[in-house]
Amino acid sequence: MVRVRVLVVDDHRIFAESLAAALAAEPDVEVSAAGSGPAALRCLERAAADGRRFDVVLVDADLGGTVPGARPAAPVREGDEDGLVDGISLVAGVRGAQPGVRTVVLAEKDDPRRAALALQAGACGWVAKDCSLSRLLTVIRGVLRDETHLPPALLTGVLRELTAARKHRTESERLVESLTPREREVLRCMVAGLGRKAVAERLFLSPHTVRTHMQNVLGKLGVHSTLAAVALARRAGVGPADLAPAGRIGVEESSSA
């Protein structure tokens, strides 16, 4: 018999243990539980190292106190022992660490916006916590067949959210494409959280030149702050600059570059 390995991730221990016990009663299901995002990633890493990868991760949407409507963060890293990592960010982290593992979000209530964010982060399904065990098992087995599962009542709202997100992304991509190559480098440094001085050191430019580039970036993107520019860049799929040590390339630019 082919066994399905499931990891339940929920910081409410009673719920996690009860759900794990209910799933484990199925003859073809093997279950483990984790109480935080970092603990879940460690569990996934250990299982992969032992050649016993998990197939499906069930993630609490409110893990670590999710802020409703929050944008998925970058893949979570180990080391946050408090486990203050929201569920949607954990979905993104699992996708980044082990793309073959399916994730399903368990939620207290239906929320089209957050469900759309979960799908964008890589989730294969969104299921109500009060659904029946048979329904949950249907979803678990369905996502292993590459199906996507959403409650019918959420479908219209999720499609609307995804369509709106795509529209915003297209506009953001168009604005980013208007930047020069050097301005895009500066924008990637901004996404990485570097200030003007750090960007200058990173790109071997003067702070004055960097200031000019940053002003140009804000102007072309039609925003008035670095935070707004970073948010727009992320919508356009712009990732942070690689902060590994870089060799010096080129020569000092003038402020008119």
Side-chain angles (χ1 to χ4, degrees):
M1 178 186 298
V2 177
R3 296 180 66 82
V4 179
R5 302 202 68 225
V6 178
L7 176 63
V8 177
V9 188
D10 197 301
D11 50 11
H12 293 85
R13 181 173 296 179
I14 293 177
F15 175 83
E17 291 180 351
S18 298
L19 178 56
L23 291 171
E26 296 296 311
D28 64 336
V29 179
E30 182 178 338
V31 191
S32 295
S36 71
L41 291 180
R42 289 194 294 272
C43 191
L44 287 167
E45 184 177 339
R46 286 195 299 268
D50 293 339
R52 302 177 68 249
R53 290 181 181 272
F54 284 95
D55 301 297
V56 179
V57 179
L58 303 179
V59 179
D60 175 22
D62 296 320
L63 183 69
T66 301
V67 178
R71 179 182 176 80
V76 293
R77 295 179 174 86
E78 272 190 62
D80 181 3
E81 294 301 329
D82 293 329
L84 299 179
V85 175
D86 69 80
I88 295 176
S89 293
L90 178 58
V91 170
V94 172
R95 181 178 63 175
Q98 297 190 28
V101 176
R102 276 73 165 182
T103 55
V104 174
V105 176
L106 304 179
E108 291 281 359
K109 61 182 180 179
D110 287 346
D111 185 330
R113 177 175 172 75
R114 294 181 68 200
L117 288 171
L119 293 180
Q120 289 174 315
C124 299
W126 177 281
V127 182
K129 278 191 171 183
D130 61 359
C131 75
S132 66
L133 180 62
S134 62
R135 168 61 183 163
L136 182 56
L137 287 166
T138 295
V139 172
I140 289 172
R141 293 178 174 126
V143 298
L144 288 174
R145 297 191 296 268
D146 292 325
E147 298 172 0
T148 299
H149 284 258
L150 287 171
L154 267 183
L155 188 57
T156 299
V158 168
L159 289 175
R160 185 182 301 116
E161 290 289 338
L162 291 175
T163 299
R166 181 59 201 169
K167 180 179 179 181
H168 291 317
R169 182 180 177 91
T170 300
E171 174 63 14
S172 300
E173 289 171 344
R174 184 186 66 78
L175 291 171
V176 169
E177 287 173 359
S178 71
L179 302 178
T180 67
R182 177 60 91 186
E183 289 165 352
R184 290 180 199 175
E185 284 186 273
V186 170
L187 179 59
R188 291 185 63 224
C189 289
M190 293 163 67
V191 172
L194 301 182
R196 187 188 307 168
K197 181 178 179 182
V199 174
E201 293 175 352
R202 172 68 191 170
L203 300 181
F204 303 106
L205 304 173
S206 71
H208 178 72
T209 298
V210 171
R211 179 173 180 274
T212 299
H213 283 314
M214 286 184 165
Q215 289 176 337
N216 290 340
V217 167
L218 297 183
K220 290 183 179 181
L221 297 184
V223 297
H224 301 287
S225 71
T226 296
L227 287 177
V230 169
L232 187 150
R234 288 192 177 279
R235 284 200 300 272
V238 176
D242 180 4
L243 299 184
R248 180 165 187 141
I249 300 175
V251 297
E252 173 69 24
E253 297 181 21
S254 70
S255 61
S256 60

